Amino acid sequence: MNKLFYVLFAIPFFISCTNKKPLDQKNINSVKKDTTPTSVVAVETQKISDLDIYNVNSIFGEKDTIALISLSDKYQLSEHKDSLAIPDVKKLGEKDAQYLVLNSTYRNRMLSKMKISEKDSVYVYDYATNNINAFSVKSLQVVAAINVYGADWPYSQHDYMIGFALDPQLLKGFNSYYLNTLVCIGSKNPFAMKQLKAIKWKETTIAKAPATALNPEYNNLIKTASKKMAYSYKSNGFEYFLQDYIKEETVVLRRLIVKEEKTNQIVCDKYYRESEGNSIAQLNDNSEDKEVSQWTGKLFKNKPEVVFGFEYVSFGCPGISFLDKNEPDIFLNCDNRH
């Protein structure tokens, strides 16, 4: 690839795991769907998750396309000549410097700083179809590509997205923009392989939601709403209530409340608000061919269930909420350079 046209960001994720069995890049396995129903509870927390998640980008060049897993949000760069992330690109020229395959010196430097072993494996998982592919780290190139917002010549190492490159031909069956895709690196597959469920909302009334006090932080915003809509959903012993506060046809605030039906205990009370950097996601309309936004279910083997997909994020990165107040939300390291 000699010339880089542009980079397109997608929504999917990359998760740092702890596995030890490497797989060859050509050994790609699909896992059958498991439709076992699971429940979801989302809990707000200020703790930091122990999971590092990144997204996948499509890089389009003159002759080929690369799926790039950028680690730049976590890869700590240094200006010291003995710890630079990339070589001096001034000798290459502006066009040739837009996309670099890093040699062993810079590859080993990145793997060492990120605590990634050549023996680890990269797991690419589509949670919508419950399919997974696996590749050995040693079979993948470490590359650097100019970020989606571009950069002025001469480029610095901070202008690059740095990470693993995958051949899209090895990801057949995945969405071309890698929507609903998560990628994990480690020695074992961390995914529970219990296909997530699309939430099927039914319209209801605000009065049917549990009587819980509003967070006073949002009182003024709620007062500006001229219309209120409510929706509900039941799954595996839990009941979900969604309240949308609307002003001039725009949802300015969304509240998600989840209670356990058996005990009537409130297990989730989350707020999502419209802002310069965030907007409220469209609700699932339950038709077969429409894009699904809200998902729930068991995502990781050793973690509680998850729920996500209630807002779109322009500044910052989207998150995934767990069903346990002791398990903090995880946020995508999406390399968003706004």
Side-chain angles (χ1 to χ4, degrees):
M1 180 182 291
N2 295 320
K3 182 178 179 182
L4 179 67
F5 286 125
Y6 58 90
V7 179
L8 177 64
F9 279 88
I11 303 268
F13 316 98
F14 168 93
I15 302 170
S16 181
C17 336
T18 54
N19 268 306
K20 290 299 175 188
K21 185 178 180 182
L23 299 178
D24 188 86
Q25 185 171 357
K26 296 181 180 179
N27 183 14
I28 303 173
N29 303 311
S30 292
V31 180
K32 295 182 178 179
K33 296 181 179 180
D34 181 344
T35 56
T36 304
T38 50
S39 60
V40 172
V41 179
V43 181
E44 292 195 49
T45 177
Q46 299 299 316
K47 296 180 180 179
I48 299 175
S49 175
D50 59 354
L51 294 175
D52 288 329
I53 304 178
Y54 303 80
N55 68 339
V56 180
N57 307 272
S58 291
I59 299 179
F60 301 91
E62 288 181 326
K63 296 181 179 180
D64 49 14
T65 302
I66 295 296
L68 173 63
I69 302 165
S70 175
L71 308 183
S72 293
D73 277 354
K74 287 291 185 178
Y75 186 23
Q76 298 299 313
L77 305 182
S78 169
E79 295 295 343
H80 192 282
K81 65 179 182 179
D82 294 328
S83 59
L84 292 173
I86 60 170
D88 184 357
V89 298
K90 294 183 180 65
K91 297 179 181 179
L92 297 177
E94 184 175 355
K95 289 184 179 180
D96 290 339
Q98 290 180 1
Y99 181 89
L100 309 171
V101 177
L102 302 185
N103 62 29
S104 59
T105 297
Y106 298 96
R107 174 192 178 90
N108 293 338
R109 188 170 291 169
M110 190 206 78
L111 294 181
S112 176
K113 286 190 175 182
M114 294 296 295
K115 302 186 184 306
I116 297 171
S117 169
E118 295 280 12
K119 296 181 180 180
D120 284 335
S121 296
V122 174
Y123 300 89
V124 184
Y125 178 54
D126 185 330
Y127 56 79
T129 61
N130 208 38
N131 292 326
I132 190 166
N133 289 3
F135 313 91
S136 63
V137 168
K138 65 183 178 182
S139 71
L140 301 177
Q141 292 180 332
V142 172
V143 303
I146 293 300
N147 73 83
V148 66
Y149 301 104
D152 295 326
W153 178 258
Y155 306 135
S156 75
Q157 62 177 344
H158 297 280
D159 294 325
Y160 287 87
M161 299 185 299
I162 302 171
F164 291 111
L166 285 171
D167 182 354
Q169 293 299 314
L170 298 175
L171 296 176
K172 290 182 178 179
F174 285 71
N175 182 280
S176 59
Y177 298 111
Y178 310 111
L179 299 177
N180 307 322
T181 301
L182 305 117
V183 182
C184 148
I185 182 169
S187 58
K188 294 180 181 178
N189 174 20
F191 298 111
M193 305 310 301
K194 297 178 182 286
Q195 185 174 355
L196 297 187
K197 299 170 64 177
I199 297 178
K200 296 183 178 181
W201 299 108
K202 292 184 179 180
E203 191 171 334
T204 184
T205 62
I206 295 284
K208 290 185 177 180
T212 58
L214 284 166
N215 185 331
E217 177 184 349
Y218 302 105
N219 282 343
N220 290 335
L221 191 59
I222 290 173
K223 290 178 181 178
T224 68
S226 57
K227 183 179 179 181
K228 301 176 184 178
M229 297 292 294
Y231 307 87
S232 64
Y233 172 72
K234 290 185 179 182
S235 177
N236 198 28
F238 290 89
E239 191 167 9
Y240 306 78
F241 298 91
L242 201 65
Q243 302 173 1
D244 281 352
Y245 298 87
I246 303 167
K247 177 183 179 182
E248 298 177 353
E249 303 304 318
T250 298
V251 179
V252 294
L253 182 68
R254 169 170 289 168
R255 186 185 189 188
L256 172 67
I257 303 173
V258 184
K259 76 170 184 178
E260 186 178 20
E261 291 183 294
K262 185 177 181 179
T263 64
N264 281 325
Q265 180 182 1
I266 302 300
V267 293
C268 167
D269 193 353
K270 284 184 76 75
Y271 293 82
Y272 310 90
R273 65 173 300 173
E274 180 81 8
S275 67
E276 182 181 2
N278 292 38
S279 59
I280 304 301
Q282 182 176 350
L283 294 182
N284 302 339
D285 67 1
N286 304 325
S287 61
E288 293 294 329
D289 299 324
K290 296 293 184 179
E291 181 180 326
V292 175
S293 294
Q294 293 83 47
W295 296 89
T296 71
K298 180 72 173 178
L299 184 55
F300 305 107
K301 291 177 180 177
N302 300 314
K303 296 285 185 181
E305 291 84 352
V306 301
V307 61
F308 58 92
F310 294 92
E311 61 183 345
Y312 303 126
V313 181
S314 297
F315 303 115
C317 302
I320 299 175
S321 298
F322 286 96
L323 297 178
D324 188 330
K325 64 182 180 180
N326 295 315
E327 194 69 46
D329 291 357
I330 52 177
F331 291 90
L332 173 66
N333 294 296
C334 63
D335 206 348
N336 188 342
R337 306 193 184 195
H338 272 106

